[in-house]
Amino acid sequence: MALRMLTAASKIAVASVTGCAAYVLTANVAHNSGDNLHVTSYPWSHNGIFAAYDAASIRRGHQVYSQVCAACHGLKRIAYRNLVGVCYTEEEAKALALDKEYEDGPDDTGAMFDRPGKLSDYIKSPYKNENEARYANNGGYPPDLSLITKARHGGADYLFALLTGYRDPPAGVTIAEGQHYNPYFPGTKIQMPNPLYDGGVEYEDGTPATASQMAKDVSVFLAWAGEPEQDERKKAGVKAIFALSIAAVAAGYWKRHLWSIFKSRKLTFH
């Protein structure tokens, strides 16, 4: 009986180990499948417990997004008010919103009308719907960039590698018309052409607009767009840890004196 129980337990253990190994192998194969390269991890200024976003880089990244990326990609989860105090003043953000027109209404006659944008408006997509976007991009669908750093493995590292990774296809690789070779894109064939070239934008602060600088700035901007509350969350966490540390010291001191009379008393029996 004991031998049978031991044999059954051994079978269960072997099956569990085999199942775990198969799961890990499958995950690795799924993650490493294809010919795309793994991205390099970069020391971003906003990584780390006490690190914060680079406001100047966010502003330059928004400029790159507005002048380059916004032609195809939307940013529907970010409103103009989110830019206030981060990379623009309230007046600057209002001016950016006023440059756009938004459909509103109905008016007193029941008709819809266009009005200038305001701070509460969200940055809209250049296309009205997915069908229009695919028709304008040869069947490809440019994704909304609000959460792109959360939706792609590697986050900002992946975006920077993708934007700076366009190459001529190696020998033996056939690229169809309308596609481009990028070893960091899954499958290595991407419909989006290289969007960044040296001097593609003119930065307001005089920073040289090299392709790598623009890729870095727009990656930081989109990392902020995916988690705009990160700096506030970190500050709140530091405050909470500080308060809890003081509370822990006070609780330890109080407990020591509260229980001191019990630890020092002497019991005698007659």
Side-chain angles (χ1 to χ4, degrees), residues 54-187:
D54 183 351
S57 186
I58 292 177
R59 181 171 179 133
R60 292 193 300 267
H62 178 262
Q63 186 177 349
V64 175
Y65 167 79
S66 300
Q67 298 183 19
V68 180
C69 309
C72 298
H73 299 274
L75 203 68
K76 63 182 180 182
R77 295 182 183 273
I78 297 297
Y80 289 100
R81 64 170 178 261
N82 298 129
L83 302 174
V84 177
V86 177
C87 55
Y88 292 103
T89 63
E90 183 175 348
E91 290 72 20
E92 289 174 329
K94 285 182 178 179
L96 290 174
L98 286 172
D99 286 339
K100 306 296 181 180
E101 287 191 349
Y102 288 81
E103 186 179 56
D104 205 345
D107 57 14
D108 294 339
T109 64
M112 305 299 289
F113 60 92
D114 291 333
R115 59 161 177 81
K118 50 188 178 181
L119 287 178
S120 59
D121 289 322
Y122 287 82
I123 299 176
K124 60 182 181 180
S125 171
Y127 305 108
K128 295 180 180 179
N129 50 58
E130 181 178 343
N131 290 342
E132 182 182 8
R134 290 188 181 278
Y135 179 79
N137 291 277
N138 196 27
Y141 181 53
D144 183 86
L145 299 181
S146 303
L147 299 174
I148 195 67
T149 57
K150 300 297 182 183
R152 299 294 184 270
H153 179 76
D157 294 327
Y158 168 76
L159 289 182
F160 181 81
L162 181 73
L163 293 173
T164 58
Y166 285 87
R167 303 287 187 272
D168 293 330
V173 176
T174 302
I175 302 296
E177 183 179 358
Q179 291 185 331
H180 308 273
Y181 179 77
N182 193 314
Y184 295 100
F185 186 76

Side-chain angles (χ1 to χ4, degrees), residues 10 123 136 188:
S10 301
I123 299 176
T188 70

